[in-house]
Amino acid sequence: MARSALRYTPAGVPVAELSLRHDGAVAEAGIERQLAFEFAAVAVGPVAVALEREPLGRTLDIAGFIAPKSRRSSRLIVHITEYASTEGV
């Protein structure tokens, strides 16, 4: 995980912009396929503040939704609405 410094909107809402990495495997047509990729993510509000405290490199389970980066963009970004650390579980 890489992240930029926590920023605040004009309304004072905290925003964290992150680059996350996924490593895993899925079955496709009965064949295991290895996946390893990075993707952009953003968290807003209390989740952003909590993620700011997480050490880089920690394994996380995230939940959220995918949406365009902005109204005029076709680039997608993951919006994290909740997460849990899987370290020590």
Side-chain angles (χ1 to χ4, degrees):
M1 170 173 70
R3 65 177 165 242
S4 60
L6 191 66
R7 67 177 179 84
Y8 292 84
T9 67
V13 178
V15 177
E17 295 177 346
L18 310 109
S19 175
L20 301 178
R21 179 168 175 81
H22 171 79
D23 290 301
V26 296
E28 181 178 34
I31 300 169
E32 186 174 281
R33 179 178 175 184
Q34 295 295 318
L35 298 175
F37 56 89
E38 290 187 9
F39 60 95
V42 65
V44 179
V47 175
V49 174
L51 280 168
E52 180 72 12
R53 293 189 295 255
E54 290 291 339
L56 295 177
R58 176 153 291 173
T59 302
L60 305 172
D61 280 335
I62 64 168
F65 60 93
I66 298 172
K69 186 169 175 76
S70 68
R71 279 187 218 180
R72 297 183 195 111
S73 175
S74 61
R75 183 171 174 230
L76 299 177
I77 190 166
V78 174
H79 290 251
I80 301 170
T81 57
E82 57 186 87
Y83 79 94
S85 173
T86 60
E87 301 284 321
V89 175

